[in-house]
Structures are given as structure tokens and as C-alpha cells.
Amino acid sequence: MYKSGGEESKNGNINYVKDLYPQAKNLQMKVIVLHVGNSYKTKDGNEVRSCKVADKTGSVNLSIWGDYGNHIQPGDILSLSRCYAVLFKSCLTLYVGKFGSLTKVGEFCMVFNEVPDISDQNPEWIQQNQENNKNTSAQPPVPGNPPSAQNSPNQKPAPNNNNNKNPAFRHKP
């Protein structure tokens, strides 16, 4: 069974990549962008961009929903709040929650390690995820919605809130 995540972040502490696990939530992180992938559109028309980010303990995939991904560049140092980690296509992926934020706080000057890559497939996590979530989907989770609720037949799909209620991409001078 997975731990209940984010205990450290409630006290304002930073979480590290090495401590991520599926279903970790309410995470506060400071990472550097190593690589920015191409964006793609979901079936619902949402734009998603995948990035590889790292801190001093390792690297992980980060998926950014909406236009915010267009402003991210390799070398950007980001402060992420209220983010969560889930398995997407059997790889651990970090997302910023619906009420979270993604803030650029610097460029280039941050100690980081590319290994271990926490997004590499972990057979134990995959097996636990299959046991816990029989109705898996190839669709990535919508920010702010728990992944387990997204495939529920009684749940309506999350609305596309592009009216500034989603996390803001801010640049700190």
C-alpha cells in the first residue's frame, strides 16, 4: 500500500524527487527543467506538455496542462506547489494540482542529478497500481482531480476551466 503523501509539505518543507511515489500529494518542490517535450492535445482538446525536471536527488517527468507549458524552457528553475504524483502509462509523473502553482524562480544555477530517473518503470508500483485501480486509462489525469475518481462511471468529466482558476505561471523578478 502507498503512504499518504505530503506530510512534510504541510510544514512548508520542500519535497525531493527521490521521495516521490504513486499517489503522493500536496507536494512542494523546487526543480530545474532539463528537457521540454512537444505538446499534444487530449481528446477533450486540452494541451499537455511533458518535461523532464530534476533536483539534487534525481529526475522525474512533469506534465503541464494548458498554455503554461509554452512558457517553460530548459534551464528554468521552478517552484511547484500543491503538486501530486501518479502513474501514467506505467511511469511516475508529476502534475501541478488545480489549486497549485508553477512559478519560475530562476535560471540555470541549481545543483541537480539526472539519475535516478524516478519516472522509469517500477514493476512493484505497476503491480500495486493494477491491483488498486482495475479500470486504468491511457488518458492522463486532469489536474486537481484524483486519478481514482476520473474513471468513475458516476462522475462527470471535469470542466475545462481556462478562466484563471488553474495554476498561474508567474515569473518572480
Side-chain angles (χ1 to χ4, degrees), residues 135 149-156:
N135 298 326
Q150 292 187 34
N151 295 325
S152 172
N154 298 330
Q155 184 117 6
K156 293 181 181 177

Side-chain angles (χ1 to χ4, degrees), residues 100-122:
S101 66
L102 181 152
T103 306
K104 180 178 175 182
V105 294
E107 293 179 344
F108 300 113
C109 295
M110 182 175 166
V111 174
F112 69 91
N113 280 311
E114 292 184 62
V115 291
D117 183 347
I118 303 299
S119 293
D120 285 344
Q121 291 188 359
N122 179 326

